[in-house]
Amino acid sequence: ASRVVVHVVPEMTRDEVFDFEPLQLSSTNETLLGNNDSSFVLQSNTRRKTLLNLDASEEQCYYQLFKPFKAQILPSSENKVTNTNIENIHHHIIFHLGSVFYELFSGGRKLSEEGECEPHEHNTRRNRGSAVDFSGQLKISDFSSCRGVTAEFCNKKGRSSGMDTNKCHKTAVESLKLRGVPIAVCGLIGNMLDCENGDLIGDDSYNRIADVRSDLRLMIKKPDKFLWDLDAEKLCKTGLEIDSNALYGQKNELASLSDWYQRPTSQNDEFVVIVGSSGVGKTTLANRFEKFVTDTGGIFISGKFDQLKQSVPFPAISCAFNEYCNFLVSDVGSRESVEIATTLRESFGPDACYLAKLIPNLSMIFGDFDDCDDVNDCVNAEKRLQYLLCRFVEIISSFSPHPIVLFLDDLQWADKASINLLSQLLVESRFSRFLIVGACRDDEMGHDHPIWHMVSTVRNLGMKAMIVKTSLLDKTTMNAMISDILCLSPRVTRSLSDIVHHKTKGNPLFFSRLMISLNKEGVVQFSLSRRRWVWDEEKILSRKVPDDVAKLLTGAICQLSPDVQAGLCALSCFGASVDVSIVEILERYLDLQLKSSLEVAVKECFLDKINGRYTFSHDRVQEATYNMMSTKERAMRHSQYGVAIYSDAIQSGRTDELLFTAMDQINLGGPTFIMDPEQRALIAGLNLQAGKKAMDVSDFLSASSFFDYGMSFLKEDLWRTRYDLTLALFDNAARCSYAIGDHEKVKALSEQVLTSAGSFSDKLNVMYYTVSALCDASLLDKAIQKSVWVLSMLGEDLHQATSRENTLVLIEETRATLRDQGDDDLLHYKQMTDSSKIMAMKFLSRLVITLVMARPADIPLVTLKMVQLSLAHGMSPISAVGFVYFGSILASIGHIDEGCRFVKLAKNLVQRFGGREVAGEVIAIATQTIGFVDPIQSTLDFHMEGYKVALEAGDTRSASMNFFFYCNYVLWTGSKSISFAKSKYEEFCRFMKQHNVVAMLLIAGTRTMDKLIDGNVTQSEPPSNTPTIEFLEEKNPFAAKMRHFQNMFIHFMFRDYEAMEYSTKNYFECKLETWTHFFIAASQTFICGLVLFWMHRRTNNDVWLHTGNKLKGVLKGWTNSSEWNFLHKFHLLEAEEHFCCGRYSEAKVSYDKAIFLSKEHKFINDEALACELAGYFAYETGEETAALDYLARAHENYNKWGAVAKSKNIYEFIQSIFQNNPNLDQKALISSLQSGLGHAANVDTTG
């Protein structure tokens, strides 16, 4: 046999021959395989030698021994390599390497030419009987390259050409097996020896040294699969086992997910959707990603949507967050868990009960919850739930050092309510430690699928979507998969994998089911004689395989016993998984024997049983089983199962727990198998109950489905035979349809109720939802007409004020009535109990906010009616709306202090009578009025409080109103940098688009700030599925007037007179008489006055001067209630008027007062403007030095505010006017201005 002859380096004096000890095996890697320094290590008593460098190239097979030696494996010296046999060099190398391995593992024995295995001469002096020590380790060691040393593997004896070498090799390998050498190592050596003399003898013999290297790598990297012997007894019993969580061919996809997860929070505004056809490994990829997340300390929560559980509220999201609560409770002793629980309790307070309806396991953190009234204390429960869940996510993610990942599987089956909730989470959780991953079958989803609409929507709101595409496996990957499963070298399994890949097209699910099927048929089986897996390629080639995996699964299921098939069919009616307790109910009530059959299905790999739930091994298995039944059989089973579950729920007192499951089954069965009218009525009533319960969870889509099913179980004469039940179903269905934005369905339901309901009071609920739908669709005139008609039918006719004077008379009458009522008297007033009056208040409240946008002149009529009804019939939660608008009206006609009294009273009424659904609106209107008394900067936080309170009640309209007012305060007070104001306006616009509140979006002021900051103008467009801006402005004159004002302001600030004049005329043509007192009116009054005085100086038109003086007078009146907010504005208007009238000395005094007071009262924007206008005044009156001083100060203040484009505008004006003035220091001037521009480039945008 071959021996190793080591040639020493020059300084050594002799050759040394080393004999090898038995090799010690290990699975420990001392250096990574990827470092190009992997090696196969031999250990002796004195030295450690590296036999085989696994990264050696194919052509140059040099192998490290030990420093400073190097060895090369060559054929025997008697068979010199020449050009004539160069093709066989690798076979010779492999054979000689095999002979060395044999000698190593045989304890020193060598292959003799007589065909016997004799001991090596040197080892005859040792213990021949000692077996190879496998208790040690195979090691990979890091050895430096050697210098100037060469060795040869050479054969001391030639071979007899006539000997039976194949028999000798088999005998040799068998002797290794007897010594306890692993079968894999014996096979490795035997396959190398099969390359003797350059000829391939066995089918599995090696063709390339690279294959040897690959097999050795596999033995070292995965010894349990490729080195140690398989458990033959176990495999004969269990058959082929396939790990469904093993990941193949998706390393790049996993790397993308891992990189995404590890991005800095501030850069991660992206969510991930894993797409691919059924069975390609989307869930497997997610499972491997979960392992990565949890291994790095993160939290991974998951949920799965189900095609047959569409009526269950938020199934996947609820499951995921329940999982988080379980995690938090399991970690209850940690400091972090205690802090999270404490913060959640403090943040949510009593509102936690609403969130607990979505996440029942919250009770483990908060304890038991008191009942909470979901019906009457909010505007939109779905919006409230979205807000509360976003707050929950914000809190839990803020405590986590690593991101929390939410994974939602099978998004193609997600219900609309869950998609809306998910969309809200996506937008609100951007840049936080909360990441969202979804998976779906994109090939089964059309372009109009709600998920793609959600992706488009959140992209428009600034989010990014990373689509991770999973695809079918290629041949190489499938071969690696089969190699792992069969624990055989990829070289050996390649022919099998080619056949299987051809038949399965690379679908992993198809592959796994086919392999299991082949194993059951004995075509792929474990050989006891060879102690490895074997197969019959001809039979596999000839086997007919269906084109679709579903057909293959159906065939496999049909091979099961009838009892097992029946059990799987029963289970498939419940979707992808079902609790064991449900199975037990079916066994009790239907006399079925299911559990024993299902256990067989578990063993056959059709089901998994985990944590008390039976789960189909794949969705396709459930689908194939379900589709084996006819439509009639499915309906019958659903009906039977639903009735059985509900019967058990009644008997066991678990109605709340099992109601959804029971009704889901009964509804899937439909009314066909329920013939008894009483039973049908009972089921309709149960659907009403289930729908209301779904509404409690804020899932209006599922609730609407239950109400629709309830109607379907009643006969055509439902209004005559089951009037109360029918009315309740229609009322609640209309409410749900309005909540989910299905205005057409609201209209259809309303028409049926108006036709069939017996009394007018029974029609009121659907009419209210109809009016609300008209308002949301910006059909304001129709909404107003219908509201007025309903109120008249309720006996509440509105006064028709023919003039402003008449309206003032009505206001004075109400003032006189209230003059005798103290605040305490009103707060402790009797409570309204008359249901018709309560409904009238609801319509009036809806009407008043509609009038603000469409017909503000009529606001007093509605407001006075609300106050009068409250005084006559008692206070209701909605009374606060009437009083807050009444206070605003009083302030608008000059009674500001009295107005403040009533808006503060309104806020107290909210607390007294629990009007949470109107709290946001009350805070918005009240704060606007209070802003005319208190320093405006101190009221900023009130609007953010109103925003929060409104969202807690699901009132996005009032939330948007508060947000809009806040943004306006930030802009017009100059209390924050203009960049900060712009960021808030952009956030406001995203919020408006997200909630489709188009009317408010139109009046956003981002274009004003864009122009002030960088000179460009952009317009925030409404979502593409909304009416045009022209249509909305026609229906909403307030929005049109706001747009003209913005244009006028921009042109005024940049001194574009012609464009400003055009916008000003358009602004004043918008005749919009208003009675409400909004602070934005103060800004408009101020700017319009400045514009009109400039227009007078340009045209000498006294109309502009007269109108400007009127506006100045209005501001003068406001100074009586708040000098802080208005005195500097008044003085600036006063200065401009003096300028127009030629009173220059008075003008200068007023300019200086305006500048001083603006600075004193912290209005930096007004200070900059006052300095600018004073500069223009000084320049035009010949005071160039003073003009330069004023303009330089304006330039500095605009920079401080962050209005970079405006400061450049001032800079350019100064350059054009003063740069050639010999009386000015030009160098100092330019340096000062450039310094100011440099300051602008570093403005703090945080405010």
Side-chain angles (χ1 to χ4, degrees), residues 605-636:
C605 300
F606 289 100
L607 295 175
D608 296 317
K609 188 178 180 182
I610 304 172
N611 297 327
R613 291 189 71 84
Y614 287 109
T615 303
F616 281 94
S617 57
H618 195 277
D619 294 330
R620 282 292 194 184
V621 180
Q622 184 269 332
E623 293 169 30
T625 308
Y626 191 70
N627 292 330
M628 288 172 59
M629 299 180 286
S630 66
T631 303
K632 184 177 180 180
E633 182 184 357
R634 290 200 295 258
M636 182 182 67

Side-chain angles (χ1 to χ4, degrees), residues 8-242:
V8 298
V9 290
E11 57 268 24
M12 289 190 175
T13 58
R14 62 184 181 83
D15 290 355
E16 293 183 2
V17 178
F18 298 97
D19 296 311
F20 295 107
E21 298 293 337
L23 182 63
Q24 295 183 344
L25 304 177
S26 169
S27 58
T28 301
N29 296 344
E30 293 181 356
T31 58
L32 296 176
L33 286 171
N35 289 350
N36 294 324
D37 54 6
S38 307
S39 52
F40 208 92
V41 176
L42 308 179
Q43 284 204 235
S44 69
N45 294 331
T46 56
R47 291 182 176 85
R48 183 155 78 174
K49 301 177 272 293
T50 303
L51 171 66
L52 176 61
N53 185 334
L54 298 182
D55 289 318
S57 64
E58 178 78 25
E59 291 77 15
Q60 189 173 4
C61 298
Y62 285 93
Y63 304 101
Q64 299 175 4
L65 282 170
F66 58 90
K67 296 179 181 181
F69 305 108
K70 183 183 290 184
Q72 183 181 21
I73 300 175
L74 292 174
S76 65
S77 57
E78 297 178 5
N79 295 298
K80 301 297 184 182
V81 178
T82 65
N83 290 336
T84 59
N85 63 2
I86 190 66
E87 296 179 357
N88 295 325
I89 183 171
H90 297 309
H91 298 158
H92 285 283
I93 293 172
I94 293 169
F95 169 75
H96 286 285
L97 178 60
S99 65
V100 171
F101 266 59
Y102 172 79
E103 188 172 348
L104 293 171
F105 283 92
S106 65
R109 299 170 67 87
K110 60 183 179 179
L111 295 173
S112 69
E113 64 178 2
E114 289 82 10
E116 298 174 347
C117 292
E118 297 180 355
H120 188 283
E121 183 179 352
H122 180 74
N123 276 311
T124 56
R125 297 187 296 270
R126 303 188 183 187
N127 182 8
R128 296 184 183 180
S130 62
V132 180
D133 178 14
F134 291 109
S135 63
Q137 296 183 334
L138 256 178
K139 295 185 179 179
I140 295 175
S141 182
D142 180 14
F143 284 80
S144 304
S145 58
C146 307
R147 303 181 300 276
V149 185
T150 309
E152 291 183 347
F153 284 96
C154 56
N155 199 331
K156 295 300 182 183
K157 296 184 181 180
R159 286 179 314 194
S160 169
S161 58
M163 70 176 276
D164 187 352
T165 56
N166 190 28
K167 181 177 180 181
C168 175
H169 299 164
K170 288 183 178 179
T171 302
V173 170
E174 288 301 320
S175 69
L176 292 178
K177 293 179 182 179
L178 294 175
R179 294 177 65 86
V181 177
I183 297 298
V185 177
C186 294
L188 175 88
I189 294 172
N191 291 336
M192 286 194 286
L193 295 178
D194 283 343
C195 296
E196 183 177 16
N197 204 29
D199 298 322
L200 301 181
I201 299 173
D203 292 337
D204 295 337
S205 54
Y206 288 102
N207 204 6
R208 303 180 306 152
I209 190 68
D211 291 333
V212 180
R213 187 164 54 242
S214 296
D215 287 357
L216 288 169
R217 273 207 186 99
L218 286 173
M219 290 180 186
I220 294 172
K221 188 176 182 180
K222 300 179 180 180
D224 289 338
K225 284 183 176 291
F226 296 101
L227 178 60
W228 309 120
D229 290 349
L230 302 178
D231 188 339
E233 182 179 357
K234 176 185 175 183
L235 291 175
C236 287
K237 291 180 180 179
T238 62
L240 192 63
E241 294 181 331
I242 298 178

Side-chain angles (χ1 to χ4, degrees), residues 72 250 283 304 490 554 646 711 994 1088 1142 1149 1213:
Q72 183 181 21
Q250 295 179 347
T283 305
K304 180 182 177 66
T554 302
Y646 185 72
M711 296 175 199
Q994 186 176 350
C1088 286
V1149 172
F1213 176 79

